Amino acid sequence: MKKQFKNWLILVMLGIAIITGSGIMRGVEADKIDAKAAYMIDAGTGQILYQQNADSKYPIASLTKILTLAVIMKDIHNQKLNWDQKIKVNKDVADMANNWQYSNVQLNEGESYTVKSLVESMMIVSADGSTEALALADAGSVQAFNKKMKEVAHEAGVTDAEIYNMIGLPNLDLGNLKLKNVGDDQENKFSAKGIALISKYLVNNYPEVIDITKQKNVDFKISADQTYNMENINYMLEGSYAAPKNGTIDGLKTGFTDDAGYCFVGTGTFNGQRVITVVLNTSDYNKQFSETNKMIESVMNNDKVVNTKDIKSVAQALKKDKKVSLEVNDTNIWVAKNTDPKQIKAELTLDKDLSNAKIQSQNSKNENIGTIKISSPGVSTTELNVNLKTK
């Protein structure tokens, strides 16, 4: 990153909680975000809460590090890396880490740093050298790590991203580590939807990353006698000047290059729901935060929480056989503010025959046997898995 200033098991037949909200796809006029693209989703269900030019690809700069972290977290969970493992810094990494033109913490050639400290510096101050050190230790080369990034992106549902490196800088800026046969100006490009899906993948599969990204200040040990206090450059964290007033942000990542502009992915809790927000290419540093707040408010200003004990369309859709009970995961959905419960529609699709004796005998499994689509006026449809449970 170019240097910035320090810079939903409850039976549905018994009811579910509905959260209501506004968004750009609703019948009311939504605030336009001053960014090339903007996107907001529920992190649990993936329900779209706001979208503006969300499918177009743009450079995303250091938002790339969200995907880098997802690769590292996967390998930690697979015991290919561990938090206390020490990574020795080579000359190429040290050259990047000690270049004042980029976001960094000092890394000394020949010195070793733990995976945990490098991850903290990557996410808290967007340290480019630390990101290189992690990727090279994990995969051995930029090309090999790029392959792992593409694999994880596919797992998250993203197949159209352009990925050239672990940092998000133009290819040229990687110096000796740049890719051959790739233009010097090539940068990673993702859609707002794409990076949101990767962020959703990260926080759902590895929720412990929030314990890192929510920290406002962390000490980084440069050497035995030198420590640097890292100040989190996400100024939407609780207590910071750009913190939202109607919820709490506890992650995730800023990004900037000349072509990407100022970009921000946020995650936090609003109305008890974890959400993911994305703004791409805003014109100045503060605007990445103010436009995120504007998008959140566009969704939140017209919403309220409604507890419903009986949504007839859902209950009727799930009531298929006296011998079995159909359930969905315990989840909240978002609907428009003045929605009448009678306007909520449910469409059940099963991929297994409930009359099958083998299916009905599985009383110990909550087997996923289909989906239910829940829709109401003015919002995106929510699609949930349906589970089978023998009575």
Side-chain angles (χ1 to χ4, degrees):
M1 181 169 122
K2 290 282 189 180
K3 192 164 185 175
Q4 311 169 28
F5 66 81
K6 297 282 182 187
N7 337 359
W8 188 281
L9 238 215
I10 291 177
L11 284 169
V12 172
M13 289 176 277
L14 295 179
I16 58 177
I18 304 296
I19 291 179
T20 67
S22 65
I24 202 164
M25 69 289 298
R26 295 193 169 105
V28 298
E29 183 178 354
D31 294 330
K32 189 178 188 303
I33 303 307
D34 189 7
K36 283 191 176 179
Y39 200 61
M40 180 173 171
I41 60 171
D42 185 287
T45 66
Q47 184 179 9
I48 302 167
L49 307 179
Y50 188 105
Q51 57 181 337
Q52 176 180 304
N53 199 23
D55 293 313
S56 297
K57 291 187 296 184
Y58 297 103
I60 63 163
S62 280
L63 300 189
T64 297
K65 291 165 185 167
I66 297 169
L67 177 54
T68 298
L69 180 56
V71 175
I72 298 300
M73 292 305 301
K74 181 179 179 180
D75 284 346
I76 289 173
H77 278 241
N78 289 337
Q79 300 183 332
K80 295 179 180 178
L81 292 172
N82 69 77
W83 288 113
D84 296 324
Q85 176 179 336
K86 290 191 173 182
I87 296 174
K88 189 174 182 179
V89 170
N90 64 25
K91 184 180 186 302
D92 289 330
V93 171
D95 286 347
M96 170 61 78
N98 299 308
N99 189 327
W100 66 269
Q101 294 181 329
Y102 307 108
S103 293
N104 273 308
V105 295
Q106 181 179 331
L107 300 177
N108 298 327
E109 183 181 354
E111 194 92 40
S112 295
Y113 303 89
T114 64
V115 168
K116 183 178 180 181
S117 65
L118 293 171
V119 167
E120 286 178 334
S121 61
M122 176 176 72
M123 297 307 291
I124 292 172
V125 295
S126 198
D128 294 332
S130 298
T131 307
E132 283 189 347
L134 286 164
L136 295 178
D138 180 76
S141 69
V142 175
Q143 294 91 329
F145 195 77
N146 288 351
K147 182 179 178 181
K148 299 181 82 166
M149 292 173 73
K150 292 174 183 178
E151 289 170 351
V152 171
H154 285 201
E155 290 176 21
V158 180
T159 60
D160 63 345
E162 298 177 26
I163 299 173
Y164 302 105
N165 60 68
M166 74 293 281
I167 299 173
L169 289 169
N171 186 44
L172 178 64
D173 289 8
L174 268 69
N176 292 334
L177 297 177
K178 75 174 186 177
L179 297 181
K180 297 180 175 65
N181 304 318
V182 171
D184 286 348
D185 295 334
Q186 292 289 355
E187 294 186 37
N188 300 340
K189 293 182 180 180
F190 288 69
S191 66
K193 178 180 179 179
I195 196 63
L197 290 176
I198 289 167
S199 301
K200 176 178 178 288
Y201 172 97
L202 177 67
V203 301
N204 287 340
N205 286 285
Y206 313 111
E208 62 267 33
V209 301
I210 298 301
D211 292 332
I212 293 174
T213 62
K214 72 182 181 182
Q215 299 176 103
K216 295 185 73 173
N217 293 88
V218 179
D219 285 336
F220 183 90
K221 190 173 183 179
I222 298 170
S223 63
D225 57 358
Q226 186 179 5
T227 300
Y228 171 68
N229 183 260
M230 300 183 295
E231 178 187 351
N232 202 317
I233 57 177
N234 174 3
Y235 292 111
M236 293 193 73
L237 295 179
E238 191 171 14
S240 298
Y241 78 89
K245 298 177 181 179
N246 47 14
T248 302
I249 291 288
D250 49 21
L252 198 54
K253 190 75 194 67
T254 60
F256 173 80
T257 63
D258 292 340
D259 285 346
Y262 294 92
C263 307
F264 180 65
V265 170
T267 186
T269 305
F270 295 83
N271 275 352
Q273 296 296 104
R274 178 163 293 281
V275 302
I276 305 290
T277 68
V278 181
V279 292
L280 299 183
N281 202 315
T282 62
S283 60
D284 65 59
Y285 187 82
N286 291 320
K287 190 165 284 190
Q288 64 187 318
F289 303 130
S290 63
E291 293 306 298
T292 297
N293 269 322
K294 184 178 178 181
M295 176 168 55
I296 291 170
E297 290 167 7
S298 181
V299 172
M300 297 290 291
N301 281 345
N302 296 313
D303 74 6
K304 63 179 180 179
V305 177
V306 178
N307 296 310
T308 56
K309 297 292 178 75
D310 185 15
I311 298 179
K312 292 183 178 180
S313 63
V314 176
Q316 289 169 352
L318 293 175
K319 196 172 183 179
K320 285 290 182 180
D321 194 299
K322 293 182 179 180
K323 295 181 180 179
V324 297
S325 173
L326 298 180
E327 301 174 336
V328 293
N329 294 328
D330 182 17
T331 303
N332 297 321
I333 64 171
W334 300 71
V335 300
K337 179 180 180 180
N338 296 317
T339 299
D340 185 322
K342 294 179 181 178
Q343 293 178 293
I344 302 173
K345 307 298 180 183
E347 180 183 353
L348 178 68
T349 301
L350 297 178
D351 47 41
K352 294 195 176 183
D353 185 356
L354 294 183
S355 66
N356 186 298
K358 182 178 179 181
I359 295 291
Q360 292 188 8
S361 69
Q362 294 177 339
N363 54 9
S364 63
K365 293 183 179 180
N366 292 318
E367 184 184 7
N368 181 357
I369 63 164
T371 59
I372 189 165
K373 292 182 179 180
I374 306 173
S375 59
S376 60
V379 297
S380 64
T381 298
T382 309
E383 184 171 311
L384 303 172
N385 290 331
V386 174
N387 302 310
L388 173 70
K389 189 175 182 180
T390 304
K391 291 184 177 180

